[in-house]
Amino acid sequence: MSTSQATDLDLGVRDALDMLDLDPTRPLIISDADEVLLQFVAGLERYLDGQGLWLDLQTFALSGNIKDKETGEPVPVEKTPDLLSGFFKAEAGNLTAVDHAADALSALSERAQIIVLTNVPTAQRDARAESLARQGMAYPVIANKGLKGPAVSHIASAFTAPVFFLDDIPHNLKSVAESHDASRRLHFIADKRLAKLLPASEHSHFHSSHWPDAQSFMEEELTKKGF
Ligand SMILES: [Mg+2]
């Protein structure tokens, strides 16, 4: 659920990535947060409800699908960015973890390095990192901007070990496929209503709404590659 088409790596994002202490000979899992580790849509619905609005999940998009509870009228598309910005300010630190995500990552962390690459606004990065840590996911959090391919290739190009990438948004899976084709890509959409609105991305190797299945996929891939 992003409209940014940036293809270059933001300099602030690059600097944050360069601070990570990663071992290119050890597997790496790069996970999105919203709708992968955290229940984004459920949190957004709570927030919208407080504003007299609701999310009419007819398509995999926010713009045009946020409606007034009383009149049923959609909020003008140009107001969506402001609404989302208000949502992140108020709720970036309050989203509930997706079921089994913390346990799955904890098990995987014995065999792989883990980082969170999320398009949260930079100002809310710390709140998001604290919220993830509080819910058992204390991993480095990078606030990305735009499509994720440039950030992934910046980190992963030096890797000799397997690199996994998880995201709910097809644009990001495509971007990562184009920037770092060697990555193994998981199309993960936690919210089942949302998952029904989208086919599996053609740029992914695995599609699921269930963390234990994603965990098994990655563990089997690691075993196959001798890690
Ligand atoms: Mg997401």
Side-chain angles (χ1 to χ4, degrees):
M1 291 194 178
S2 162
T3 52
S4 176
Q5 296 299 319
T7 52
D8 294 330
L9 184 56
D10 176 270
L11 293 184
V13 175
R14 189 197 63 190
D15 289 347
L17 293 170
D18 286 342
M19 304 267 289
L20 295 169
D21 185 20
L22 297 171
D23 176 355
T25 66
R26 210 172 158 240
L28 174 65
I29 296 168
I30 303 171
S31 180
D32 178 32
D34 288 310
E35 219 48 68
V36 177
L37 302 179
L38 296 169
Q39 296 180 28
F40 170 80
V41 165
L44 180 63
E45 286 180 315
R46 272 199 311 275
Y47 177 78
L48 292 175
D49 190 61
Q51 316 275 317
L53 302 169
W54 70 292
L55 183 60
D56 187 5
L57 279 174
Q58 296 193 6
T59 54
F60 189 81
L62 298 178
S63 293
N65 287 338
I66 297 174
K67 297 184 177 171
D68 188 291
K69 278 200 285 190
E70 277 183 21
T71 66
E73 287 299 311
V75 170
V77 166
E78 62 272 19
K79 289 201 174 159
T80 309
D82 282 348
L83 262 179
L84 272 185
S85 151
F87 165 67
F88 276 118
K89 273 188 199 136
E91 300 295 330
N94 298 325
L95 298 184
T96 306
V98 168
D99 287 348
H100 311 297
D103 287 345
L105 287 184
S106 173
L108 286 160
S109 70
E110 291 176 17
R111 298 169 72 178
Q113 307 165 93
I114 296 169
I115 65 168
V116 179
L117 185 66
T118 170
N119 278 17
V120 71
T122 312
Q124 279 88 52
R125 193 215 72 94
D126 291 357
R128 165 142 292 177
E130 282 158 22
S131 150
L132 286 165
R134 201 168 58 233
Q135 301 185 81
M137 294 179 275
Y139 305 106
V141 175
I142 302 293
N144 185 61
K145 291 189 175 68
L147 291 170
K148 294 186 179 174
V152 169
S153 73
H154 186 74
I155 315 170
S157 57
F159 267 70
T160 52
V163 174
F164 297 94
F165 174 75
L166 297 92
D167 210 289
D168 60 316
I169 298 178
H171 289 319
N172 283 326
L173 293 156
K174 179 169 185 278
S175 168
V176 170
E178 288 167 355
S179 301
H180 190 69
D181 186 46
S183 56
R184 302 301 281 167
R185 295 173 296 278
L186 290 82
H187 190 184
F188 193 99
I189 310 176
D191 190 291
K192 297 215 169 62
R193 296 166 301 165
L194 212 55
K196 277 188 203 146
L197 298 173
L198 270 190
S201 160
E202 58 180 310
H203 301 285
S204 66
H205 304 95
F206 185 80
H207 183 252
S208 182
S209 296
H210 189 52
W211 260 102
D213 294 343
Q215 178 186 342
S216 298
F217 172 78
M218 288 187 272
E219 287 174 344
E220 283 162 23
E221 291 283 311
L222 287 173
T223 300
K224 263 193 247 170
K225 302 241 164 69
F227 285 88

